[in-house]
Amino acid sequence: MKRSTSLAESIDGQRFWDDMLKQAEIGALIPRGLGRLALDDNDNNARCWLVEQGRALGCEAFYDAMGNVFLRREGRDPNLPPLLIGSHLDSQPNAGIYDGTLGVLAGLAVLRALQESDFPHQQPVEVVSWTNEEGARFAPGASGSSWFAGQRETARILGTVDDDGVRFADALSTCQTLLDADKVSYRPYPFTPSAFLELHIEQGPVLESLGVPVCTVKGIQGVNWYSITVNGQANHAGTTPEHARRDAFTGAHGLITALREAVAEHGESVRFTIGKFTLEPNATNTIPQQATFSIDLRHPSTAVLTSLDNAFQRLATETWSGCSVELTVSSRVSPVEFDKKLVETLDASVKKYAPDAPKLVSGAFHDAIHLAHQCPTAMLFMPCRSGISHHPDEYIEREDAEIAVRALADAVGTLLTR
Ligand code: HGY
Ligand code: MN
Ligand code: MN
């Protein structure tokens, strides 16, 4: 078997793209897109599909106590810490097919290139699919990676509940039963990789606007998630005069206006999103008793996040149209800067394919935001059309994807021969 001069040249672009389209069939939406919520049947089937691909390459498959799935290609010295590559296979409810899947399948393509080029490496190489990165079903997101990196407690994650009242622990147990039946080895505990690499779509417009197929990511902005409940009093919509009302929607509206005013003081760089909003009893002719909504707050600066966190806590102590407020912090994740040496190693590979590539800070969070606390971590981005993501219109150019995977493979080759 001829050994290629570089691992990047051994990447089989066609096979990678076929894999991308194949995985997208698991949880495919009509007319397009992906609905693969964490630990649902589609997510579980996608994990089993990944295990099957890895085994075909001679890899051993493992899962850990949080359901993270690993494919391991042994190195000449199995006692060395593995080089870890990966991302996530779960998706938003009405998503595109590339968010997260790109990074997992890129890792699979690298395993395939290692196998087919008989590339010698001392340390093992593992590809991981992290559990519940998106947090769309079980909030907050990045359960598997935050647990693995010691950033979140097991019990806290296992106790999270989805909108249908299903506990994470029970959904995980169903997944583990499937993986056991598939003879996937149980390796419960986290380990310290030599490094973690993640390739992801940019989910923003910069690379497309520059015409750059791949770039290095040097960090990720911070992200806080909150759940806010406004408690009022249900009553008859037709007979209750305004002065006698404690309307939870009116209260929520006043609070949200004040929250947005606090955010506006920090200018354009803050990202403030209310993605979920429910009213109880949710009837046309009953004044809402309760309003519950989510907040996703992001910023590159810890100081700004802290200042807004304090402002939100203060506003939550006030009453709004006679309603009281309960504010729960689902997660506070600080901004991270990736390991500078690893960033430069990745960038040396990137510049072989995109000499003018910038280094970006990610607006979206990724599993790498937690792995950065466990080992040297860095990311690569590739462009997606108009920066659209978390939407079925998410789209990437196959040629760009192949270049990005080759850049990743080139960096892996450098790290394995260091
Ligand atoms: O929300 C995020 O930033 C990621 O796409 N889950
Ligand atoms: Mn993602
Ligand atoms: Mn996402």
Side-chain angles (χ1 to χ4, degrees):
M1 174 93 59
K2 172 173 104 35
R3 183 191 151 187
S4 81
T5 47
S6 90
L7 193 57
E9 288 165 17
S10 306
I11 290 291
D12 179 342
Q14 183 60 52
R15 183 61 196 272
F16 160 73
W17 196 251
D18 293 346
D19 284 343
M20 281 301 290
L21 300 180
K22 192 78 190 142
Q23 66 76 26
E25 292 170 11
I26 309 169
L29 299 175
I30 307 295
R32 68 187 170 289
L34 191 64
R36 206 155 67 194
L37 292 178
L39 299 172
D40 73 2
D41 292 343
N42 293 322
D43 186 33
N44 293 339
N45 291 337
R47 289 149 176 270
C48 292
W49 175 84
L50 179 68
V51 165
E52 188 190 336
Q53 306 315 306
R55 282 179 170 154
L57 294 173
C59 295
E60 190 173 359
F62 297 91
Y63 73 91
D64 66 18
M66 214 36 76
N68 299 310
V69 172
F70 300 83
L71 303 177
R72 180 182 173 97
R73 176 178 164 81
E74 207 46 86
R76 289 181 176 168
D77 181 351
N79 300 313
L80 289 173
L83 174 60
L84 190 60
I85 310 165
S87 192
H88 61 93
L89 289 175
D90 68 302
S91 79
Q92 289 285 323
N94 185 29
I97 66 171
Y98 305 106
D99 174 354
T101 59
L102 173 74
V104 177
L105 277 296
L108 185 64
V110 169
L111 288 178
R112 187 167 285 118
L114 287 167
Q115 170 79 353
E116 284 162 15
S117 66
D118 193 19
F119 193 95
H121 52 96
Q122 294 301 318
Q123 69 184 116
V125 177
E126 294 201 16
V127 168
V128 60
S129 174
W130 299 111
T131 298
N132 186 37
E133 189 278 343
E134 291 291 357
R137 180 183 179 193
F138 297 102
S143 307
S145 52
S146 58
W147 171 84
F148 184 89
Q151 303 299 300
R152 270 193 210 127
E153 294 297 315
T154 306
R156 176 116 187 268
I157 296 171
L158 295 181
T160 50
V161 179
D162 72 8
D163 290 344
D164 299 326
V166 177
R167 289 177 68 245
F168 185 100
D170 298 328
L172 179 60
S173 163
T174 304
C175 173
Q176 288 172 330
T177 305
L178 260 177
L179 293 172
D180 287 342
D182 212 0
K183 306 259 184 295
V184 179
S185 309
Y186 185 47
R187 188 177 66 177
Y189 306 111
F191 56 89
T192 304
S194 65
F196 174 64
L197 305 178
E198 180 170 7
L199 167 58
H200 204 284
I201 53 174
E202 180 197 340
Q203 299 171 305
V206 175
L207 293 183
E208 183 186 48
S209 68
L210 296 174
V212 167
V214 60
C215 84
T216 308
V217 182
K218 58 186 177 183
I220 303 180
Q221 70 176 343
V223 47
N224 291 358
W225 277 15
Y226 303 86
S227 175
I228 294 199
T229 300
V230 177
N231 293 303
Q233 176 65 52
N235 211 327
H236 196 293
T239 57
T240 313
E242 197 54 38
H243 67 79
R245 291 184 178 213
R246 288 198 299 120
D247 180 328
F249 178 79
T250 310
H253 180 266
L255 171 58
I256 290 168
T257 304
L259 290 168
R260 282 199 172 283
E261 283 164 2
V263 164
E265 286 169 26
H266 292 274
E268 270 293 295
S269 53
V270 182
R271 299 284 181 270
F272 175 92
T273 309
I274 295 175
K276 297 177 82 168
F277 192 104
T278 56
L279 290 174
E280 288 300 333
N282 203 32
T284 302
N285 49 355
T286 298
I287 297 168
Q289 163 102 10
Q290 192 173 74
T292 303
F293 58 92
S294 63
I295 293 179
D296 176 316
L297 175 73
R298 313 215 189 181
H299 196 274
S301 148
T302 303
V304 170
L305 286 170
T306 305
S307 162
L308 283 170
D309 191 276
N310 294 335
F312 289 7
Q313 304 281 351
R314 243 188 344 270
L315 291 169
T317 61
E318 297 173 23
T319 51
W320 297 87
S321 302
C323 303
S324 63
V325 178
E326 294 162 52
L327 177 144
T328 307
V329 182
S330 310
S331 72
R332 289 189 186 98
V333 183
S334 301
V336 292
E337 280 188 21
F338 291 140
D339 177 275
K340 289 193 174 17
K341 193 162 162 256
L342 186 61
V343 163
E344 290 314 316
T345 301
L346 259 61
D347 210 47
S349 295
V350 163
K351 290 301 192 310
K352 293 178 184 173
Y353 298 90
D356 305 328
K359 288 195 187 95
L360 296 181
V361 172
S362 178
F365 68 75
H366 305 282
D367 294 301
I369 202 169
H370 296 294
L371 268 289
H373 299 285
Q374 181 81 344
C375 64
T377 293
M379 291 182 71
L380 296 175
F381 270 171
M382 68 158 291
C384 54
R385 186 161 56 189
S386 310
I388 292 172
S389 185
H390 286 192
H391 188 285
D393 287 350
E394 187 181 89
Y395 178 85
I396 64 174
E397 294 295 345
R398 172 184 164 169
E399 297 68 32
D400 289 343
E402 194 167 319
I403 289 170
V405 175
R406 290 190 192 282
L408 173 69
D410 190 85
V412 169
T414 303
L415 292 169
L416 291 179
T417 45
R418 189 158 268 179

